[in-house]
Amino acid sequence: MAKIDAARRAEIGREKRARTRAQILEAGTMLLAEKPPEALTVDAIVEAAGVAKGTFYYHFQNIEELAAAVGSKLGESFDDLLTAARLELPDPIARLSFAFTQFLEKATSDPAWARLVLQSAQAPTEFARGIRAHLKADLTEAIDQGRLSVRDVELAADIVLGIWLQVVRGSLERRTVSDLSDLALGAVLRALGASQPRMEIVSDRVGRSSRTTT
Amino acid sequence: MAKIDAARRAEIGREKRARTRAQILEAGTMLLAEKPPEALTVDAIVEAAGVAKGTFYYHFQNIEELAAAVGSKLGESFDDLLTAARLELPDPIARLSFAFTQFLEKATSDPAWARLVLQSAQAPTEFARGIRAHLKADLTEAIDQGRLSVRDVELAADIVLGIWLQVVRGSLERRTVSDLSDLALGAVLRALGASQPRMEIVSDRVGRSSRTTT
DNA sequence: TTTCCTATTGACTATATAGTCGAATTGACT
DNA sequence: AGTCAATTCGACTATATAGTCAATAGGAAA
């Protein structure tokens, strides 16, 4: 009868709810960067988030669901690093090189993010499969153009991902060289047997500077 | 007074003790291939080993100590794959290539071993550091000989390990190509910018056949 | 102020896990 | 057969963790 409406009520708490959920998500993100989900406890999460235990279960069914939400957020952060320039690069090898470099520089500048990515790369989650699918699309296109001496797309993806992941691990454990991105990318392209893309394009967009191209 | 002697007594139970310990070690090995040590429970271990809980604590202080023992055993399995031929190869690149191929073929023929190695590669355990140290020794020698275009030994090690680990992951998740070892090794050598080692030596010893060289 | 829905709390029960310890078993030796 | 030390067993305590739920707080609308 009254205008008191479920939709309105739901809207009321939304901001508070969203804030609390974000706290839990952030705590989960931090903890999942340190240890695998199987080793994570609800008590640890709620303590880190500064909320009561019941609150966790009000927002998530279980830890698995939280981990999925963290994975999803991580996937978005990957997209964010690409969306601006990805479509402007018609060359698959240039695209791949750009992505490789972007991700690597993000990893060296944000160790917590890097740790989370490494943990997430362990199990083939939705997030990990998405990344690999994108990569394979670029690689397939390059192979179809006869640009790679590696013909098997799965092997090619393993090469790119393998070098990337291990270089990121190295950057967390050791002091990182200044031109790590260029060196690692060079290794990847040699490994793939990539015929040179037009380097001026790649280095224009991929170079260490973050200015947008004109 | 009697000849009953502690040393003798200790010897008596040794065989039984060794057998039980081996059971626990094997169960731990199997479980550590599936999940990280933080997610492992003593109850799961003793159930898998078919022994009582107290027995576990009679042989190991805690799970960490078991994990260390498993890691040590794993390290030995690596050595076993090399000791025969390693010293006969004076060329560091040939040595590295031989090891890479041996390990990769072991991984494809023994998935449980592969899974364990991948899990162990997560944390920089004693085992992982030993492998990396050996690898770096070969790489340093090759770099000193001016044989690699990659000059940074840490980056070079990351490239080799990264490709190896990811190719092994791939071999567990997908059907594996017949000449995976050769293709992956080729990618590694290109990535390192290795000037060709004398290929007849490498392929003699590294080829798919497991016959011992004459 | 009062109402009333949403979000939050933390105590509570269940179960799982770590780690201990006295009793039982084993097997070589006498 | 008996002895005895080493080994194994499993019940037991204590703690940790998962998951539930009735009570409370908060704040917008009446």
Side-chain angles (χ1 to χ4, degrees):
Chain A
M1 168 99 39
K3 301 276 288 303
I4 305 163
D5 177 18
R8 178 69 192 102
R9 285 296 179 184
E11 190 182 336
I12 291 174
R14 203 166 292 167
E15 190 187 349
K16 185 198 301 183
R17 178 187 171 95
R19 196 167 55 247
T20 305
R21 187 188 155 95
Q23 280 177 34
I24 299 172
L25 210 52
E26 188 186 339
T29 300
M30 188 176 51
L31 291 170
L32 282 172
E34 311 288 345
K35 53 181 74 175
E38 311 95 303
L40 201 55
T41 68
V42 176
D43 284 326
I45 295 166
V46 299
E47 186 189 348
V51 301
K53 199 167 191 176
T55 305
F56 173 86
Y57 286 101
Y58 183 71
H59 289 276
F60 301 95
Q61 290 278 338
N62 48 43
I63 289 182
E64 198 176 319
E65 190 174 310
L66 170 66
V70 170
S72 170
K73 200 183 63 174
L74 187 57
E76 287 170 25
S77 79
F78 267 79
D79 288 344
D80 290 348
L81 289 173
L82 293 187
T83 38
R86 188 168 186 86
L87 294 177
E88 303 171 24
L89 291 172
D91 184 311
I93 294 180
R95 225 154 48 216
L96 180 159
S97 300
F98 176 77
F100 183 92
T101 307
Q102 286 289 106
F103 295 157
L104 190 48
E105 289 180 354
K106 170 73 173 173
T108 52
S109 70
D110 187 347
W113 182 86
R115 270 183 251 272
L116 181 61
V117 173
L118 291 181
Q119 288 287 352
S120 304
Q122 275 312 103
T125 58
E126 181 57 35
F127 154 73
R129 276 186 275 112
I131 297 291
R132 190 179 177 95
H134 271 110
L135 175 58
K136 277 169 60 178
D138 285 346
L139 288 168
T140 299
E141 193 177 335
I143 290 171
D144 289 348
Q145 293 177 7
R147 309 268 299 282
L148 302 185
S149 69
V150 172
R151 300 290 191 77
D152 184 78
V153 65
E154 300 291 356
L155 174 60
D158 287 338
I159 290 167
V160 179
L161 288 175
I163 291 179
W164 191 88
L165 289 168
Q166 196 65 23
V167 166
V168 169
R169 266 188 209 101
S171 77
L172 287 173
E173 286 169 16
R174 288 177 280 286
R175 215 46 285 119
T176 205
V177 225
S178 62
D179 52 355
L180 182 64
S181 283
D182 293 340
L183 294 176
L185 176 59
V188 167
L189 295 178
R190 286 195 302 275
L192 294 174
S195 48
Q196 297 295 40
R198 293 190 289 134
M199 286 311 274
E200 63 285 5
I201 291 180
V202 174
S203 54
D204 263 4
R205 296 183 184 274
V206 147
R208 177 158 18 285
S209 79
S210 58
R211 64 182 158 80
T212 55
T213 53
T214 54
Chain B
M1 176 53 77
K3 302 274 288 304
I4 304 163
D5 175 18
R8 178 69 192 103
R9 284 295 181 187
E11 191 182 333
I12 290 176
R14 202 167 291 168
E15 189 187 347
K16 184 199 301 184
R17 177 188 172 92
R19 197 166 56 246
T20 304
R21 188 188 155 96
Q23 280 176 34
I24 297 171
L25 210 52
E26 189 187 337
T29 300
M30 188 176 52
L31 292 170
L32 282 172
E34 313 287 345
K35 54 182 74 176
E38 310 97 304
L40 202 54
T41 67
V42 176
D43 284 326
I45 295 166
V46 298
E47 185 189 348
V51 300
K53 199 166 192 176
T55 305
F56 173 86
Y57 285 101
Y58 183 71
H59 289 276
F60 301 95
Q61 292 277 340
N62 47 41
I63 289 182
E64 198 175 318
E65 191 176 309
L66 171 65
V70 170
S72 170
K73 201 182 63 172
L74 188 57
E76 288 171 24
S77 79
F78 267 79
D79 287 343
D80 290 348
L81 289 173
L82 293 187
T83 38
R86 186 168 187 88
L87 294 176
E88 304 171 25
L89 292 171
D91 183 312
I93 294 180
R95 224 153 49 216
L96 180 160
S97 300
F98 176 77
F100 184 92
T101 306
Q102 286 290 107
F103 295 158
L104 190 49
E105 289 181 354
K106 170 73 173 173
T108 52
S109 70
D110 187 347
W113 183 87
R115 271 182 249 274
L116 181 61
V117 174
L118 291 180
Q119 288 286 353
S120 305
Q122 276 312 105
T125 57
E126 181 57 35
F127 153 72
R129 277 186 274 111
I131 297 290
R132 190 180 178 96
H134 270 109
L135 175 58
K136 277 170 59 179
D138 285 346
L139 289 168
T140 300
E141 192 176 336
I143 289 170
D144 289 348
Q145 293 176 7
R147 309 267 300 281
L148 302 185
S149 68
V150 172
R151 300 290 192 75
D152 184 76
V153 66
E154 301 291 356
L155 175 60
D158 286 338
I159 289 167
V160 178
L161 288 175
I163 291 179
W164 191 89
L165 290 168
Q166 195 65 23
V167 166
V168 169
R169 266 187 210 103
S171 79
L172 287 173
E173 287 170 15
R174 287 176 282 285
R175 217 41 289 118
T176 204
V177 221
S178 61
D179 52 355
L180 182 64
S181 283
D182 294 339
L183 294 176
L185 176 59
V188 168
L189 295 178
R190 287 195 301 277
L192 294 174
S195 48
Q196 297 294 39
R198 293 191 288 134
M199 287 310 274
E200 62 285 3
I201 292 181
V202 173
S203 55
D204 263 6
R205 297 184 183 275
V206 147
R208 179 157 17 284
S209 78
S210 58
R211 65 184 157 77
T212 55
T213 52
T214 55

